[in-house]
Structure formats: structure tokens, C-alpha cells
Amino acid sequence: MLAKAAFPALFFTLAGFILLLLVTLSVPIIKTIYLLQVRFDRSGTTGSTSLGANAGVFGLCYQGGQASFLGFDYSSNAACTDPAVGYTFDENFLGLDNSGLSRAVIKGLAGSLILNAIAAGFAGLSLVWSFFAWLCASRGWEIFTFISLFFSVLTAWLAWALDLALALVARHRIEDASDDVLDARIGNGVWLALGGAVAVTLALCFAGCGMFGRYRSDRVVQQKPVGYRRRHFWERNHAGRGTY
């Protein structure tokens, strides 16, 4: 029998795990999700050209030639770095040499982003426990879910705070290092990380309440022993008596 008390924690844990996993698999794996976007716009009389880079948890993707000419957009494939913990910024893609931009991005982004992967790992472990708590209707699995969700919430909020703080610091340093030539913006991955942190927090609250719900051990019907009751004379079986 499935446990209804464990389903809300399972639902929000699944939502938080998906969001945190998407942030972890950001640029250069999923190129549409990034923590910071750096753009360099060149405008002319006939059109404009936009160059830049998107920074994720494990690397960078360079927008190598995204142009607009007479209302038509043209773009080429982006060059991405190999996924790795800690990465460097190649200034040659933007035509900036010895500007200090690489050091600014490394200090602002490459450190502590591994916490996003750790938060996703704790959320995945919590998802396994919550699934067994719901499927097996077990209070013990729900307790394991609550404990693992506690660590998931801590790491998720810490990862989001570092993502936001480091993106803001990197944006300020990039604009200063390039003399406002580059425009740095906070990416959508920061807000996905916020949604993941909120989801696992709600899952923790529901898991705490679910520990006191009704599970399989509480559904055992206790059968009362059948006692002897003396029957009245009109309830007795008269079959077999003789007739007059």
C-alpha cells in the first residue's frame, strides 16, 4: 500500500533534484543554461555583431560570431571548453589582451561552484529515500529522507548564495577590467538554483510532517477475539426435536 503521507516530500524532492541537476549540467554541457553571460556588442551602419561567452559550473562556451545584418540574424557554432572543475577565460576570443579579465572570472566563478553538484547529489539521494518511503509505506525510509534533505537544503542554499555573490562580483570586476567595454549579466542558472533550493526546502518541511503520518504498520487491523455468549431460549436450534 502506497503512503500518502510521503508523497508531497517525494514530489518536491523530485522537482528540486531536476532543477539542481540542470544547474550542474549547465555550460558547457547544456549550452542554454549559464551562471554568467559576458557580451561585447559592436554596432555599425548596416548591422551589429555580438560576441561573448557564457560561464557555467564546469566550463565556458564562447559565442563565436553572432551577427545581425539588415534585420537577419546569423550565428556560428560556439566553441566550448572541456568540462572541468576550474577553468580559465580566453581573452583572445573578444580581442582583449592582458586586460585582467581572466583573473576576474577565475576569482568570481571557477571556485566553489562544485557545491552545485554536491547539492544535486544530496537531492538525488533524498529522492531515492523518499521513493522507497512512498512505495514501501515505511516510516524509517521517511526518516532517512528527512536527514538527507537536511544536508541537501544546507548545500543548495549555500550553492545559490555563492552563485549569486560570485556572479555579482565577477560582473563588477569584468566591467572594471574591460573599462565597460564588456557587458556582464547574471544568467538563468542562478534562478534555477534558487528554485531548486526552495523546492528541497519545501520537501524538508513535508518530510518532517510526513514522519508523523500513517504508514503500513499502523494499518494492521486488530481482530477482537470472539467470546462465548449465552443464547436465549428462542435463539436455540430446535431442529431434530420430535413433533407431537
Side-chain angles (χ1 to χ4, degrees), residues 8-218:
L10 173 64
F11 176 78
F12 284 102
T13 303
L14 177 61
F17 172 69
I18 293 176
L19 292 175
L20 294 174
L21 183 62
L22 288 177
V23 177
T24 304
L25 299 178
S26 59
V27 171
I29 302 173
I30 301 179
K31 297 177 178 58
T32 56
I33 300 176
Y34 46 87
L35 300 178
L36 183 69
Q37 184 182 60
V38 182
R39 295 177 63 94
F40 175 43
D41 297 324
R42 294 177 180 177
S43 300
T45 57
T46 58
S48 62
T49 302
S50 177
L51 301 175
N54 295 332
V57 175
F58 294 114
L60 291 160
C61 274
Y62 299 97
Q63 300 172 355
Q66 193 173 18
S68 175
F69 180 75
L70 297 178
F72 296 95
D73 296 330
Y74 301 92
S75 61
S76 60
N77 295 327
C80 299
T81 61
D82 295 329
V85 179
Y87 45 84
T88 57
F89 193 93
D90 192 352
E91 302 173 3
N92 295 326
F93 276 87
L94 300 178
L96 300 175
D97 297 330
N98 299 324
S99 63
L101 182 60
S102 178
R103 294 188 298 272
V105 175
I106 288 302
K107 292 181 181 179
L109 286 177
S112 303
L113 296 181
I114 193 64
L115 279 177
N116 292 277
I118 297 176
F122 276 120
L125 182 63
S126 303
L127 180 62
V128 174
W129 299 153
S130 61
F131 177 76
F132 281 114
W134 173 70
L135 182 64
C136 303
S138 172
R139 193 185 307 275
W141 288 116
E142 189 72 2
I143 295 175
F144 280 118
T145 302
F146 180 83
I147 296 174
S148 59
L149 278 173
F150 177 78
F151 292 103
S152 179
V153 168
L154 288 180
T155 53
W157 281 110
L158 182 59
W160 174 77
L162 289 175
D163 291 342
L164 180 61
L166 296 177
L168 292 175
V169 171
R171 182 178 67 176
H172 178 71
R173 291 182 178 180
I174 286 172
E175 293 176 352
D176 290 344
S178 62
D179 294 331
D180 293 331
V181 175
L182 298 178
D183 181 23
R185 303 174 183 177
I186 298 176
N188 51 14
V190 176
W191 311 121
L192 289 178
L194 175 61
V198 172
V200 293
T201 302
L202 292 175
L204 177 67
C205 297
F206 281 111
C209 297
M211 290 189 301
F212 302 98
R214 179 178 297 180
Y215 290 89
R216 182 178 59 185
S217 59
D218 303 329

